[in-house]
Amino acid sequence: MATTEVFDEHVSQYEQWYEDHPEVYQSEILALQEQFLELPQNIRGIEVGLGTGRFSEPLGIKEGIEPSVEMAKKAFDRGVEIMKGKAEHLPYAAMQFDFVLFVTICYFKNLKKALSEAYRVLKPDGAIIIGFLDREQSVAKAYMAKRDRSNFYKTAIFHSVNQVEQLLKNVGFRNLKYNQTLFGNLEDIKEVQIPKTGYGMGSFVTVKAVKP
């Protein structure tokens, strides 16, 4: 089954995960918010592969891309304007945005192409912000171990920090800044965690990089 069809058919299960793991979800939001702090005010940006808007809404992002029709309906209800499209072929002209957010890179068919598209639609000095599960840490390893029993992770491709960094630099991004959260196993996280600088300890890593 194609990834888009999986998300169309299992929206309720997707939404329930956030209800079942509020401390994990809020920890991820805090890490992403920290990357937005240094961005100028009143700027325009998008989230690509935004799902049901679980990240766009609290981060104040008003538009973006989502290929799943059923996911997009939920995001629209959360106040996000949706264009149907995919990360590898963004339906925008060049140099339109001040930032682009990715939080679902494990589902992208071609991450390098998606990063190139983000670079294309960003204005000079625009920023890409990526939140992802580091394949070398505990949460991604747990998902990979049970991927055959998961609706969502059967086709997921988890990336290491080094892989993401190399692709960002190859595309042309510079000035990479990292933070991390989700310290420990997923089921053991019962409090919202404050993000720490860098990577290598937390399962959820965020990186911000700039288009020169």
Side-chain angles (χ1 to χ4, degrees):
M1 185 182 293
T3 301
T4 301
E5 293 173 341
V6 169
F7 283 102
D8 279 334
E9 294 185 9
H10 299 285
V11 176
S12 295
Q13 182 184 348
Y14 177 90
E15 286 284 90
Q16 190 60 45
W17 185 94
Y18 292 95
E19 300 301 323
D20 293 342
H21 301 87
E23 298 87 1
V24 174
Y25 172 45
Q26 290 302 321
S27 297
E28 293 176 344
I29 292 292
L30 282 180
L32 290 165
Q33 285 176 331
E34 192 173 86
Q35 294 286 23
F36 278 87
L37 290 176
E38 295 180 1
L39 296 182
Q41 298 298 308
N42 301 316
I43 57 176
R44 183 186 179 201
I46 55 172
E47 183 182 356
V48 176
L50 58 86
T52 60
R54 283 283 185 167
F55 292 95
S56 287
E57 184 184 30
L59 294 170
I61 300 172
K62 300 300 184 183
E63 57 186 309
I65 295 294
E66 174 51 49
S68 165
V69 173
E70 297 304 317
M71 290 279 188
K73 289 177 182 177
K74 291 283 188 180
F76 182 80
D77 290 341
R78 289 191 166 104
V80 186
E81 180 181 328
I82 309 296
M83 289 187 69
K84 189 172 182 178
K86 296 185 177 181
E88 296 86 357
H89 302 283
L90 296 178
Y92 301 107
M95 295 188 288
Q96 294 291 301
F97 300 106
D98 300 290
F99 70 86
V100 173
L101 173 66
F102 289 164
V103 194
T104 54
I105 63 171
C106 65
Y107 299 114
F108 294 172
K109 301 295 185 185
N110 186 328
L111 180 55
K112 184 176 182 180
K113 177 62 175 172
L115 295 176
S116 295
E117 278 289 273
Y119 192 93
R120 180 182 66 81
V121 303
L122 281 169
K123 300 174 184 178
D125 296 322
I128 186 171
I129 298 171
I130 306 173
F132 66 102
L133 291 175
D134 181 356
R135 68 171 288 126
E136 297 179 352
Q137 302 302 322
S138 61
V139 174
K141 287 181 178 179
Y143 282 142
M144 286 189 286
K146 60 183 179 182
R147 67 192 315 161
D148 290 341
R149 304 190 301 275
S150 169
N151 288 321
F152 298 114
Y153 291 112
K154 286 180 181 178
T155 60
I157 301 171
F158 294 101
H159 303 273
S160 70
V161 175
N162 288 339
Q163 288 171 332
V164 174
E165 177 171 315
Q166 194 59 57
L167 287 173
L168 283 167
K169 290 180 176 179
N170 287 347
V171 168
F173 286 104
R174 298 292 181 265
N175 302 330
L176 280 64
K177 293 185 178 180
Y178 292 95
N179 73 16
Q180 58 188 318
T181 190
L182 304 191
F183 306 102
N185 296 323
L186 199 67
E187 61 272 15
D188 297 329
I189 298 174
K190 303 301 182 184
E191 295 181 354
V192 177
Q193 298 179 348
I194 303 301
K196 297 181 180 180
T197 302
Y199 59 87
M201 297 180 293
S203 286
F204 186 76
V205 175
T206 80
V207 57
K208 178 172 63 179
V210 176
K211 174 180 177 177

